[in-house]
Amino acid sequence: MNPSGALPARFRRERVLIIGCGDVGQRAARALGSGRRVRLLALTSSTERNAELRAQGITPLQGNLDDPRSLQRLAGLATRVLHLAPPPSEGQADWRLDPRTRDLVRVLARRSVPVSLVYGSTTGVYGDSQGRWVNEATPTQPKTPRAWRRVDAEASVHWLGRALGVRTSVLRIPGIYAPDRAGGTPRERLQRGTPVLRAQDDVYTNHIHADDLGRACALALWRGRPQRNVNVVDDSQLKMGDYVDLAADLYGLPRPPRIARDAAGDQLPLMLLSFMSESRRLDNRRMKAELRLSLRYPTVNEGLRS
């Protein structure tokens, strides 16, 4: 029998905690809030965000991933956790580690653990595949400090799954875009006239619409298989220059100039150059089969028009 006043499990509300409740986290919250009995919680380090979160039906919890003491209240709090916060960018003793995820996992392991934990990683963990197809069985080959930190975060998350039986899912995410997302389309880049690589030097780039990503995050909390990595990517198969050309045509803007790779170092910002140093095509069959996600924006052609 249930203790006095306790509801049967099927009537209890799930408590979903979102760590890193920015644009994608809020889209996931909207997907979670429709049709499920859930209480939405979000960790925030800024009291200025409290009203914004509450307006969306999300209860704010004060805490900072860079202050482990502030995370203690999270132990045993949530039945499911969506972790979308990035690793620190710099200023730590070992640049290969993600102390934020390590500290979070330690706290979650202290009391009754969540049923599921979903972590938003990056497809950058695969490194450069020289345009070849990549699936979740492909070994990671991180080439940049930020990719190394993501590999460390993935390992921390899956440790929790193996050690304590949490159903952990790592979503490997490519470039996120959406017309209603800040910087979510190439429009500003086109207006600046930023060059792209000529066809023979160009790299394959991969995409997911922010709305589809938010839905994937929500589905993974319930449908993700234990200790699983999943590529969350649409069906587009475009090189970067072709993607920018497509956007230019849709917006009625001039296509960008094409330059050789050996000239790019003098004309492009370092961050953009780092993306142009890796080329891969991502297999999304596991996403479709296991998460059963039906893409609303199967390619960037539909997504940029939305």
Side-chain angles (χ1 to χ4, degrees):
M1 295 180 63
N2 292 322
S4 177
L7 291 171
R10 66 182 183 277
F11 294 123
R12 296 179 201 148
R13 294 177 73 190
E14 296 269 9
R15 299 181 304 280
V16 177
L17 171 63
I18 303 174
I19 310 288
C21 195
D23 176 68
V24 173
Q26 291 171 61
R27 293 174 197 255
R30 290 196 289 272
L32 288 162
S34 60
R36 287 194 178 96
R37 297 180 60 86
V38 296
R39 182 185 179 198
L40 296 171
L41 313 165
L43 184 72
T44 178
S45 59
S46 172
T47 57
E48 295 176 359
R49 294 201 63 205
N50 289 355
E52 172 197 358
L53 292 169
R54 288 195 179 102
Q56 299 176 69
I58 304 170
T59 300
L61 302 173
Q62 299 305 129
N64 191 322
L65 289 174
D66 295 321
D67 178 8
R69 294 170 300 177
S70 71
L71 305 179
Q72 301 309 310
R73 66 183 300 185
L74 303 182
L77 181 66
T79 56
R80 300 175 194 267
V81 177
L82 174 59
H83 175 22
L84 297 174
S89 56
E90 56 186 19
Q92 56 187 24
D94 192 335
W95 55 265
R96 296 166 298 181
L97 303 184
D98 177 8
R100 292 174 176 173
T101 297
R102 289 181 171 222
D103 290 335
L104 175 65
V105 164
R106 289 191 191 101
V107 168
L108 295 178
R110 285 184 52 200
R111 293 186 191 168
S112 57
V113 295
V115 174
S116 62
L117 168 60
V118 174
Y119 175 62
S121 185
T122 171
T123 56
V125 298
Y126 293 118
D128 181 24
S129 298
Q130 299 181 335
R132 293 187 297 270
W133 282 97
V134 168
N135 63 27
E136 293 84 354
T138 303
T140 58
Q141 294 183 312
K143 301 297 184 185
T144 65
R146 64 179 181 275
W148 273 105
R149 290 190 283 270
R150 292 290 191 168
V151 169
D152 182 67
E154 291 186 7
S156 295
V157 166
H158 284 321
W159 171 85
L160 187 68
R162 291 191 304 272
L164 297 176
V166 178
R167 197 167 69 243
T168 57
S169 299
V170 166
L171 305 184
R172 290 177 172 164
I173 302 165
I176 307 168
Y177 79 100
D180 62 344
R181 173 181 167 89
T185 73
R187 184 185 293 274
E188 291 182 7
R189 176 177 170 175
L190 286 163
Q191 291 170 336
R192 290 193 300 267
T194 304
V196 295
L197 293 177
R198 62 185 182 178
Q200 58 266 47
D201 294 334
D202 209 357
V203 296
Y204 280 99
T205 183
N206 302 276
H207 309 271
I208 188 68
H209 192 286
D211 281 347
D212 281 331
L213 176 56
R215 293 168 56 235
C217 292
L219 291 172
L221 287 166
W222 269 263
R223 297 178 181 173
R225 294 187 182 179
Q227 287 65 264
R228 206 70 152 153
N229 303 318
V230 181
N231 293 334
V232 178
V233 60
D234 69 16
D235 298 328
S236 302
Q237 295 182 38
L238 287 175
K239 291 190 173 182
M240 186 179 292
D242 297 329
Y243 168 62
V244 179
D245 282 351
L246 171 65
D249 294 346
L250 287 174
Y251 302 147
L253 294 170
R255 289 186 173 189
R258 297 269 185 160
I259 60 174
R261 178 175 292 277
D262 57 11
D266 298 328
Q267 301 186 47
L268 298 175
L270 288 176
M271 181 63 75
L272 186 54
L273 279 173
S274 72
F275 291 129
M276 290 180 169
S277 67
E278 298 180 358
S279 181
R280 54 189 167 262
R281 285 176 283 178
L282 295 166
D283 187 322
N284 64 10
R285 286 177 291 182
R286 180 176 288 182
M287 175 193 78
K288 293 179 178 178
E290 297 184 3
L291 301 187
R292 304 195 296 279
L293 175 66
S294 177
L295 292 166
R296 290 179 179 163
Y297 306 100
T299 72
V300 292
N301 188 43
E302 292 91 359
L304 289 174
R305 294 174 185 272
S306 64

